[in-house]
Amino acid sequence: MNYGFIGFGNLAKAVYQGLKSVNNIQFAYFARSKKEVDIPFFDNMEELVSFADVIWLTVKPQDIKGILERLQPLNLEGKLIVSPVAGKSIASIEDYLGKELPVVRIMPNLAIAYQKSVTAFATNQPQNPATENIFEILTKLGKAVKLDEKGFDLFTSVFGSGPAFILAFIQIFKDKMREFDLPGNVLDELLLGLTQGTTLYFTENQANYSIEELIRNITSKGGTTQAGLDHFRRHNIGKHFEGVLDAARNRSEEMSKN
């Protein structure tokens, strides 16, 4: 199979990084300018379309309309479209390219580069072996789930934007830890150890314990963890953080309408 990327920003690079070890896939890309990457570059979209069996729309949401307009007059027979563009439905792609063309909408995150993405999948042709093949490929890049499109806005806020939100929370820890007067790289290493250890603790125990039970296992009555959790709950910090997810979901919904 030949995979062609339209646009080659951070997400396309992450997808390529994750996929390049998968057998029998050849890659190329079309972009405004040539990038420092060891795959063929086309400066003409028609040449990219001619090359590709699977066309990845790895562009920013504000650019997708112009890309679809440029694809519209081209011969797309036998092609498959994959779109990870946030807030853009399959129907919005069909409006330009027609309902006969197989379209897969996905929502991965940048961990796809390390084959650790959590990715949502939807398609207008669920019985088509070609779209099912894309789903199978995604399962090699982390966890993939088939999801009704109406769930994509929330999925985007949790799993697409989630890594940035988690890193923002880690940044709060780092800012507080500056009281130690340690170099920034040392703080990063300490926080990496914290997050890796916590993830391992969750991984090893999630089959037998709920998250609430795992928190209780760490918490001693009347101790430091209890004091922090009491403050967390008393000030409804969890509800405030839900507002972050709601804001991201609302923006995804707005983008869909526009």
Side-chain angles (χ1 to χ4, degrees), residues 1 34 41 48 58 85 99 129 150 157 163 181 203 220 237:
M1 296 290 286
K34 192 172 183 179
F41 163 68
L48 186 280
T58 45
V85 182
K99 297 182 183 296
K150 66 184 180 183
S157 75
D181 196 27
T203 301
S220 299
I237 292 173

Side-chain angles (χ1 to χ4, degrees), residues 3-22 25-29 37 39 54-59 82-85 106-119 134 137-138 140-142:
Y3 281 20
F5 297 101
I6 295 180
F8 207 79
N10 290 333
L11 180 56
K13 291 175 184 175
V15 172
Y16 167 65
Q17 184 71 25
L19 284 174
K20 67 180 183 179
S21 63
V22 178
I25 298 178
Q26 303 297 317
F27 300 93
Y29 70 100
V37 62
I39 62 175
V54 179
I55 299 168
W56 290 71
L57 305 179
T58 45
V59 296
V82 178
S83 172
V85 182
I106 66 172
M107 178 45 60
N109 56 44
L110 291 179
I112 200 168
Y114 317 109
Q115 301 182 338
K116 294 293 184 181
S117 179
V118 179
T119 305
I134 296 296
I137 290 291
L138 292 171
K140 298 178 181 181
L141 301 176

Side-chain angles (χ1 to χ4, degrees), residues 82-96:
V82 178
S83 172
V85 182
K88 300 303 176 184
S89 67
I90 290 173
S92 69
I93 295 172
E94 290 177 332
D95 286 343
Y96 289 90

Side-chain angles (χ1 to χ4, degrees), residues 161-174:
S161 303
F165 300 152
I166 292 170
L167 287 169
F169 210 81
I170 292 172
Q171 183 66 49
I172 295 171
F173 279 60
K174 183 174 181 178

